[in-house]
Amino acid sequence: MTSGEAEMSRRRLTSGPGTLLVWLYGVMVVGAVSRSAYQIATEFDRAPLAYSLSAVAGVVYGFITYSLVRGGETARRAALVCCVAELVGVLTVGTWTLVEPSAFPDATVWSDFGMGYVFIPILLPVSAIYWLRKSRARQGDAG
């Protein structure tokens, strides 16, 4: 791959819908990290599981944002793996909070499938997985 092709591959993840994904993931990083940092610092013993899961969500969002901005095939694959893990997390925590609400005295970012965040936590990984798979197919067509 020439340096021009590598640069185009890097930019491809942040073009079109990829720009919106980077922006949304960036907003989620700020929301999840700031919320969990405050809750962990001030009231951790109230709901340690919920606050820890929100912190994990923030870290996952941060890694996905970084991977999308970095671009390239390795970053695309890493982001795809993280998006699948994120989706599994949202589905697991979302179901858990509905089945056993007493396990979560306070909400996490992924509680009720992200209802507190306008369901962005369930929609974002699905959209990102679609975009990352589509960007790979388009890269294969170009090469």
Side-chain angles (χ1 to χ4, degrees):
M1 179 181 287
T2 68
S3 64
E5 290 170 334
E7 180 60 30
M8 188 158 172
S9 172
R10 289 185 192 285
R11 278 186 277 148
R12 184 167 286 133
L13 293 179
T14 57
S15 65
T19 303
L20 180 60
L21 285 173
V22 168
W23 186 83
L24 287 171
Y25 270 113
V27 168
M28 293 304 290
V29 168
V30 172
V33 169
S34 61
R35 174 184 178 169
S36 64
Y38 173 79
Q39 290 171 322
I40 288 170
T42 61
E43 52 194 15
F44 185 71
D45 24 332
R46 181 171 165 223
L49 178 61
Y51 303 151
S52 297
L53 286 172
S54 288
V56 167
V59 170
V60 170
Y61 293 145
F63 183 79
I64 293 169
T65 304
Y66 169 77
S67 296
L68 290 171
V69 170
R70 183 168 187 268
E73 182 57 22
T74 302
R76 188 196 64 77
R77 276 189 252 134
L80 187 58
V81 168
C82 278
C83 288
V84 169
E86 174 194 359
L87 182 58
V88 169
V90 173
L91 293 172
T92 302
V93 173
T95 302
W96 191 359
T97 56
L98 294 176
V99 172
E100 187 61 43
S102 64
F104 295 89
D106 203 355
T108 74
V109 174
W110 294 340
S111 292
D112 304 318
F113 305 105
M115 185 168 59
Y117 287 80
V118 198
F119 297 103
I120 292 172
I122 191 74
L123 298 172
L124 202 51
V126 172
S127 302
I129 290 166
Y130 174 77
W131 172 247
L132 290 165
R133 290 179 55 87
K134 183 179 176 185
S135 69
R136 173 62 180 152
R138 200 172 343 133
Q139 183 180 2
D141 292 343

